[in-house]
């Protein structure tokens, strides 16, 4: 009885309707995460010497690419949810119902970021370092959306922090319980369960703290802060993934996302070591894009850096070797008391 009292309930619903417009908690969490990632990434970029507004400009490319990539990864790794008998293939486009694979979002989002960085003339690894902690915090916020969707939880548990999962009903579409409402608080047979989405949320916040600490302590550059984020996240994702009970494809007895985490952890560690040989963090002047406000060669004027103040003073002062004009009368030597 005491264990039950210590559990926490799942939400009654994940969708509210404002007239004919559905307000989905999952979508709101994804949007909130993106906003936090851009805001924090912008602050970190400016602190590293970059130009204000650059992260927002890069996000214009990276976010749409990332959403498409995240959905593609989800559909490719779980095709039976959309392309088997009795399933509606068009639901593969219903991103508002949940289903985003973080690695697809990162991979295709990186392509969008690369395009934007090349257009602006700034290094992609430096941009990745600036946005790394914001991305993992955005993932944590996104897990709140999984809570409202009643998804990504684990097996039954008697631990005091277990989550009560209630049966939802949708009279208009009995097969679409995601848009249903829990009435009567009827628990599912496996309830209470491990809130694995909460475990990952907490883990993500810890990873963000580690990345920020290491970045400040060791002045990480050349993509090393981003690599540390990937390595840290995959460690947690690996063991948390194995606790989940939702349907997933397996390879050699392990879930696909576990294998993905293992491979990406190894790749991140290797990159972290190799990138460390490139020397100190990128110089601030390399983070200033082509459109930073100074004239560029494309505008017809050479881009010249500001001249140091002492050089300006020297240029304005008369030269020490300048000879007096020939028609100017020479001054008579002043007499002193000794002459």
């Amino acid at each position: 009885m005491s264990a039950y009292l210590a559990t926490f309930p799942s939400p009654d619903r994940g969708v509210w309707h404002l007239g004919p417009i559905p307000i989905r908690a999952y979508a709101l969490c994804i949007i909130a995460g993106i906003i936090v990632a851009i805001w924090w990434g912008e602050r970190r970029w400016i602190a590293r010497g970059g130009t204000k507004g650059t992260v927002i400009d890069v996000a214009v490319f990276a976010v749409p690419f990332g959403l498409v990539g995240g959905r593609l990864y989800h559909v490719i790794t779980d095709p039976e949810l959309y392309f088997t008998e009795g399933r509606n293939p068009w639901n593969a486009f219903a991103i508002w119902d949940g289903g985003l694979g973080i690695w697809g979002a990162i991979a295709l989002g990186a392509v969008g970021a690369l395009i934007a960085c090349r257009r602006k003339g700034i290094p992609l690894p430096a941009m990745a370092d600036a946005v790394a902690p914001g991305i993992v915090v955005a993932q944590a916020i996104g897990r709140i959306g999984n809570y409202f969707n009643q998804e990504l939880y684990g097996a039954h548990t008697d631990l005091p922090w277990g989550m009560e999962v209630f049966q939802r009903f949708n009279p208009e579409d009995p097969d679409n319980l995601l848009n249903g409402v829990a009435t009567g608080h009827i628990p599912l047979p496996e309830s209470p369960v491990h809130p694995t989405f909460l475990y990952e949320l907490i883990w993500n916040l810890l990873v963000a703290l580690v990345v920020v600490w290491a970045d400040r302590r060791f002045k990480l550059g050349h993509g090393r802060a981003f690599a540390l984020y990937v390595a840290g996240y995959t460690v947690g994702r690996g063991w948390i993934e194995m606790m989940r009970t939702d349907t997933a494809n397996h390879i050699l007895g392990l879930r696909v996302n576990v294998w993905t985490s293992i491979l990406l952890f190894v790749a991140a560690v290797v990159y972290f070591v190799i990138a460390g040989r490139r020397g100190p963090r990128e110089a601030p002047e390399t983070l200033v894009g082509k459109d930073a406000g100074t004239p560029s060669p494309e505008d017809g004027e050479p881009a010249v850096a500001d001249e140091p103040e002492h050089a300006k003073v020297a240029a304005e002062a008369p030269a020490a070797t300048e000879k007096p004009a020939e028609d100017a009368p020479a001054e008579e030597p002043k007499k002193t008391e000794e002459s």
Side-chain angles (χ1 to χ4, degrees), residues 322-336:
E322 185 178 354
K323 295 181 179 180
E326 296 180 358
D327 56 349
E331 293 185 1
E332 294 182 359
K334 295 182 179 179
K335 295 180 180 180
T336 63

Side-chain angles (χ1 to χ4, degrees), residues 46 153 205 302 322:
I46 294 173
Y153 52 80
L205 296 179
E322 185 178 354

Side-chain angles (χ1 to χ4, degrees), residues 271-286:
Y271 180 89
F272 186 89
V273 174
I274 295 176
R277 302 173 184 173
R278 300 185 62 182
R281 177 187 290 179
E282 296 90 342
E285 55 267 23
T286 65

